[in-house]
Amino acid sequence: MKVKRRSLFLGAAAVIGGGGLYATSRLWRADSLNPQPLQIPPLLDSRSSGQSVSLTARAARTQFFAGRESPTQGYNGSYLGPTLRLYRGDDVQISVTNALASDTSVHWHGLLIPAEVDGGPHQLIRPGETWRPVLAVRQPAATLFYHPHVHGQTAAQVYSGLAGVLLIADDSQRDLGLPDEYGVDDLPLVLQDREFDDGRMVLPPGMMTAMQGRRGDTLMVNGTPHAVARVPARLVRLRLVNGSNARIYELSFDDDRAFHWIATEGGLLDAPVQLRSVSLAPGQRAEVLVDFSDGRKTTLVTAPDANASMGGMMGPPGGGSDSFAGGPAPVLMFEPGLAAVAEAARKPIALQLAKHERVDVSRAIKRRRFTLDMGMGGMGGGGGLSINGRAFEMGRIDERVRLGDVEIWEVSAQMMSHPFHVHGVHFEVLRRGGGPPAIRDQGLRDTVLVKEPVELLVRFTQPAREAPFMYHCHILEHEDGGMMGQFVTD
Ligand code: C2O
Ligand code: CU
Ligand code: CU
């Protein structure tokens, strides 16, 4: 909600999108910067609903700012969807009804399930239809993410609001005593940036957004701009989900407080790791524990997204198309309540969170190489967004893997950093930039940011016979533009 810097170099987009053409009331503008209470998506718990969960995707209107309506889409609501809680060991009957005017699908990002129920571009739901997969949940507790995956439409559908949090709960982890009161000391936080014009959400079009990915001038959490969260003055679990189309967050607190990182995309780490900042690329999740018992207000902030300037090659010097290029931007304010009576009940954080059986690297029987290609870096560019020079094609299977195998995937990136995501697997980062992985690379992942080349140890445990699994860049404009491939396991 500031002077549009993008008009400097996204001039075409500004004209097409109508940016800056509205007469804005200054008064309203000041008002729009007022903090708003953080919305918490309703919780749909599969065990309290007889192991069946229903979602309906529909078009709606949302007031992100009082008196300003935006056309949006949501699941069971006007923007985003409910948080689904499924339990390890359960089989859950899902039904997804498409009340939109266009095809959609719902992909369970991070769920280890067979490809035919994965919700990728091959499991389209036509308008008016209902899709009924049964999800067999067989993985440890984790924070996952669901969203549409229609080829060519994913970016626009997610941008307009179709996404939600999927929690896997695991009874065996109760003893750890981690905060788990949903919406109180256990908060799902979907981080998104959106572009607003006079308080109304707009979809930035144009060639530059296709190449750089869509970023917006307003940071929202769970669909709330300038959000403030009331939290109890104790240890609180934040489940951070990057639901943005393209923005990479580098998150820290404005008072530089330390926190404990406890879980990756794949679930709990072996042990908590004390950090002062955590980075989150599109599609990634992180769970952290933050101690608010000092009762002080603090703000979660993000550093500018270095990716926005495409390695400095296309933006103005030192700038880039990030509206927040000027410095750390507030993501979410925290206002702790009064210190809890139960100060005595405060447990220390468990030193051991999970025990993961390690897969021996020597079990990897094959190496594959993937280059996330922008088609303009010279070397082997096949023209446009692609992987290994080939743009995505629904009818082409790119890789064939044997079910049960372990492989090493070497992934490198052109022009900018790309978050690489693989469906139906967990992997570990073995090497980064030719050396050992970074501290923040540890744990089981399904999405990794590829800046320097990485080597991933991937286990293929899920069948993909009737339909393939996808692997792709999770900058949604890149995925839609063809930076995606598919594999089967047989
Ligand atoms: Cu979250 Cu294939 O995506
Ligand atoms: Cu996925
Ligand atoms: Cu990309």
Side-chain angles (χ1 to χ4, degrees):
M1 314 301 305
K2 45 167 93 166
V3 178
K4 296 274 184 298
R5 207 180 322 226
R6 66 173 183 174
S7 53
L8 284 176
F9 46 96
L10 291 185
V15 172
I16 298 162
L21 297 179
Y22 297 99
T24 23
S25 112
R26 220 151 275 203
L27 250 170
W28 180 83
R29 210 145 248 244
D31 204 44
S32 71
L33 293 170
N34 287 341
Q36 302 188 33
L38 174 73
Q39 296 187 48
I40 299 291
L43 179 67
L44 265 183
D45 183 295
S46 62
R47 286 200 176 160
S48 16
S49 62
Q51 298 293 4
S52 77
V53 164
S54 299
L55 296 175
T56 300
R58 63 165 55 95
R61 304 190 71 80
T62 302
Q63 287 198 21
F64 295 101
F65 298 99
R68 295 293 194 279
E69 279 202 334
S70 306
T72 53
Q73 298 179 332
Y75 298 109
N76 304 1
S78 77
Y79 186 83
L80 296 177
T83 297
L84 311 181
R85 183 155 67 196
L86 314 185
Y87 293 78
R88 184 182 198 174
D90 289 1
D91 296 332
V92 186
Q93 175 68 63
I94 306 280
S95 81
V96 184
T97 299
N98 180 3
L100 304 167
S102 51
D103 292 350
T104 193
S105 83
V106 178
H107 166 55
W108 321 102
H109 180 138
L111 198 59
L112 301 180
I113 42 167
E116 64 265 27
V117 289
D118 186 50
H122 295 273
Q123 287 99 48
L124 283 190
I125 317 170
R126 309 277 178 202
E129 280 183 7
T130 298
W131 180 53
R132 298 177 201 280
V134 173
L135 303 181
V137 182
R138 302 290 184 267
Q139 70 197 76
T143 303
L144 314 181
F145 177 40
Y146 63 93
H147 61 79
H149 217 303
V150 182
H151 187 52
Q153 297 302 315
T154 300
Q157 292 195 359
V158 171
Y159 190 95
S160 67
L162 293 175
V165 177
L166 170 56
L167 305 180
I168 307 299
D170 184 343
D171 294 333
S172 72
Q173 286 169 358
R174 279 274 156 78
D175 307 342
L176 290 172
L178 296 171
D180 64 355
E181 226 183 305
Y182 181 81
V184 178
D185 62 8
D186 181 354
L187 308 180
L189 302 175
V190 180
L191 311 188
Q192 296 179 314
D193 59 326
R194 295 292 184 261
E195 184 77 3
F196 281 85
D197 251 316
D198 193 31
R200 293 181 176 89
M201 196 172 87
V202 293
L203 184 77
M207 189 48 197
M208 284 300 278
T209 53
M211 295 309 283
Q212 298 190 331
R214 276 189 189 88
R215 288 176 190 78
D217 62 2
T218 302
L219 299 179
M220 302 204 292
V221 183
N222 300 340
T224 315
H226 313 300
V228 54
R230 303 283 321 225
V231 288
R234 58 173 194 256
L235 203 61
V236 172
R237 175 186 345 202
L238 308 181
R239 299 176 186 260
L240 302 160
V241 177
N242 187 344
S244 306
N245 284 36
R247 178 174 297 279
I248 299 169
Y249 297 80
E250 180 70 30
L251 300 162
S252 60
F253 287 92
D254 64 347
D255 57 6
D256 204 34
R257 68 177 61 197
F259 52 84
H260 285 92
W261 175 40
I262 58 164
T264 58
E265 292 80 34
L268 292 172
L269 293 165
D270 290 343
V273 178
Q274 201 183 62
L275 296 176
R276 283 176 203 278
S277 69
V278 66
S279 86
L280 214 59
Q284 288 193 304
R285 291 88 63 207
E287 292 179 34
V288 300
L289 298 177
V290 187
D291 189 355
F292 293 108
S293 59
D294 65 5
R296 292 217 193 97
K297 290 183 189 176
T298 182
T299 300
L300 186 69
V301 297
T302 186
D305 181 0
N307 230 10
S309 54
M310 273 173 98
M313 297 189 67
M314 301 187 72
S321 66
D322 194 353
S323 308
F324 306 106
V331 176
L332 178 58
M333 289 167 272
F334 289 93
E335 287 184 8
L338 295 175
V341 218
E343 193 63 28
R346 251 182 76 206
K347 284 197 218 153
I349 303 169
L351 292 177
Q352 168 100 51
L353 296 168
K355 254 205 156 69
H356 294 290
E357 19 95 47
R358 284 270 122 73
V359 175
D360 197 340
V361 189
S362 65
R363 274 192 55 203
I365 45 97
K366 202 174 163 73
R367 271 178 191 267
R368 296 178 206 251
R369 291 190 178 81
F370 301 90
T371 302
L372 307 173
D373 214 326
M374 306 272 303
M376 26 194 327
M379 308 262 297
L385 302 162
S386 63
I387 296 181
N388 294 341
R390 296 197 295 186
F392 178 75
E393 257 178 51
M394 288 284 281
R396 185 189 68 226
I397 301 299
D398 299 282
E399 307 290 336
R400 294 179 183 276
V401 174
R402 271 196 348 231
L403 185 61
D405 275 2
V406 176
E407 298 191 359
I408 293 175
W409 283 21
E410 301 180 10
V411 191
S412 58
Q414 276 192 348
M415 302 290 288
M416 56 195 279
S417 306
H418 302 271
F420 183 68
H421 169 52
V422 188
H423 289 212
V425 304
H426 279 160
F427 54 76
E428 280 174 71
V429 180
L430 286 180
R431 296 176 72 72
R432 179 179 285 281
I439 282 267
R440 300 196 298 192
D441 279 325
Q442 67 188 286
L444 292 173
R445 326 298 302 240
D446 58 48
T447 310
V448 63
L449 187 62
V450 185
K451 186 179 181 198
E452 27 321 84
V454 293
E455 286 186 28
L456 312 174
L457 187 65
V458 195
R459 336 172 176 182
F460 298 91
T461 59
Q462 299 300 315
R465 294 191 186 98
E466 270 104 285
F469 278 129
M470 307 293 127
Y471 53 91
H472 57 88
C473 174
H474 217 288
I475 292 177
L476 300 180
E477 289 74 20
H478 290 181
E479 170 187 337
D480 278 346
M483 199 181 282
M484 178 155 76
Q486 43 191 0
F487 69 98
V488 292
T489 60
D490 46 21

